Amino acid sequence: MSEAVLKNDPAPLVDAIRRSVALKIDEINSAADAEIKKTENEILGEIENLRQEEERRYSELTAYEESKAANLLSIELKKLKLDIIEDFTESIISELTGVMRSDRRYGDFFRQCVISPLHDIKGERVSVHVSPCDAAFAEGIKETACHVRDNLKVRIVEDESIESGGVMVIDDDMEIVFNNTIERILYRKSDEIRRIIVRSLDELTDGDR
């Protein structure tokens, strides 16, 4: 009877089942760990991709903003330079306007202001407007006109609107005005003066580099 009990002892079977179950659990745990690791890597990969994408977008945005700021700064600096040049040009012209009459070469300049338009006079009567400060040149104007056109009738008009010098010659017959006042001459030369100033400033700037 005892031998039959021993032969039907379930312990070995139970141990085998336990081993099988333990092995299966290990397999399940290993598979779960691998799946968790895979999922974790995928999540970390997605996070890294998102981080790199955000970093790229931030870099592009930063570069764009920096470029925009640099362009705006460049534009403002150019505007400032132009404003400075314009103000400087106006001050130079104003200074020239104020000092030309005191220059020793003013007499020759004044005569040229009269002579140059006389060659273009078509009529026989001409009015020469001068500043009251230049009234002393009146006789000289008539003499100069006679050398250019001996048949011209010249009338000298003192004109208080001519403040800085020069003359305004009017062809009375053709009603054509030749404005050779200093103010007008410098106005006509303002672009040339501005270019000279810009070129001089550029040369000075290059010299400081």
Side-chain angles (χ1 to χ4, degrees):
M1 183 69 179
S2 60
E3 290 181 5
V5 172
L6 290 173
K7 288 181 180 178
N8 294 315
D9 186 359
L13 180 60
V14 171
D15 289 339
I17 291 171
R18 284 176 177 169
R19 286 194 299 275
S20 178
V21 170
L23 183 60
K24 194 65 177 176
I25 290 172
D26 288 341
E27 289 177 356
I28 292 171
N29 286 337
S30 295
D33 288 343
E35 188 65 27
I36 290 171
K37 188 66 175 176
K38 178 184 176 184
T39 303
E40 181 181 336
N41 289 337
E42 289 177 351
I43 292 173
L44 290 175
E46 289 294 326
I47 292 173
E48 179 62 20
N49 289 338
L50 287 172
R51 186 192 67 79
Q52 290 180 1
E53 180 66 18
E54 287 300 315
E55 189 176 87
R56 183 186 64 79
R57 289 180 181 175
Y58 176 76
S59 297
E60 289 179 353
L61 180 61
T62 302
Y64 170 75
E65 292 297 335
E66 288 177 350
S67 176
K68 187 168 69 173
N71 288 335
L72 289 174
L73 178 60
S74 176
I75 291 171
E76 290 302 319
L77 287 175
K78 287 178 180 178
K79 286 171 60 179
L80 178 61
K81 182 180 178 180
L82 288 174
D83 289 342
I84 291 173
I85 290 172
E86 192 63 31
D87 290 343
F88 188 58
T89 301
E90 288 180 4
S91 68
I92 290 293
I93 290 175
S94 177
E95 184 176 340
L96 287 173
T97 302
V99 302
M100 284 191 69
R101 185 182 276 117
S102 61
D103 192 287
R104 61 183 177 80
R105 295 165 294 180
Y106 179 71
D108 292 335
F109 166 79
F110 186 89
R111 279 188 292 276
Q112 286 302 315
C113 287
V114 175
I115 291 172
S116 58
L118 288 179
H119 292 289
D120 297 317
I121 298 295
K122 305 300 181 184
E124 296 182 355
R125 296 178 302 115
V126 64
S127 296
V128 181
H129 289 238
V130 301
S131 167
C133 296
D134 294 324
F137 293 103
E139 291 304 318
I141 291 173
K142 292 181 178 180
E143 183 179 344
T144 299
C146 288
H147 285 299
V148 178
R149 287 265 306 274
D150 56 6
N151 63 335
L152 274 179
K153 296 178 181 179
V154 180
R155 181 170 67 100
I156 308 300
V157 180
E158 291 190 14
D159 190 337
E160 293 183 355
S161 68
I162 301 176
E163 297 179 355
S164 302
V167 301
M168 187 156 51
V169 178
I170 302 175
D171 186 333
D172 292 329
D173 293 332
M174 306 301 294
E175 297 183 345
I176 298 175
V177 177
F178 300 88
N179 193 336
N180 272 355
T181 60
I182 287 178
E183 292 91 343
R184 191 63 187 176
I185 291 172
L186 289 176
Y187 175 79
R188 291 196 293 263
K189 295 286 186 180
S190 60
D191 286 342
E192 183 179 344
I193 295 171
R194 191 177 291 104
R195 284 194 295 271
I196 293 172
I197 290 172
V198 171
R199 187 163 57 248
S200 299
L201 289 175
D202 287 341
E203 290 173 358
L204 289 173
T205 303
D206 290 339
D208 292 339
R209 289 173 184 169

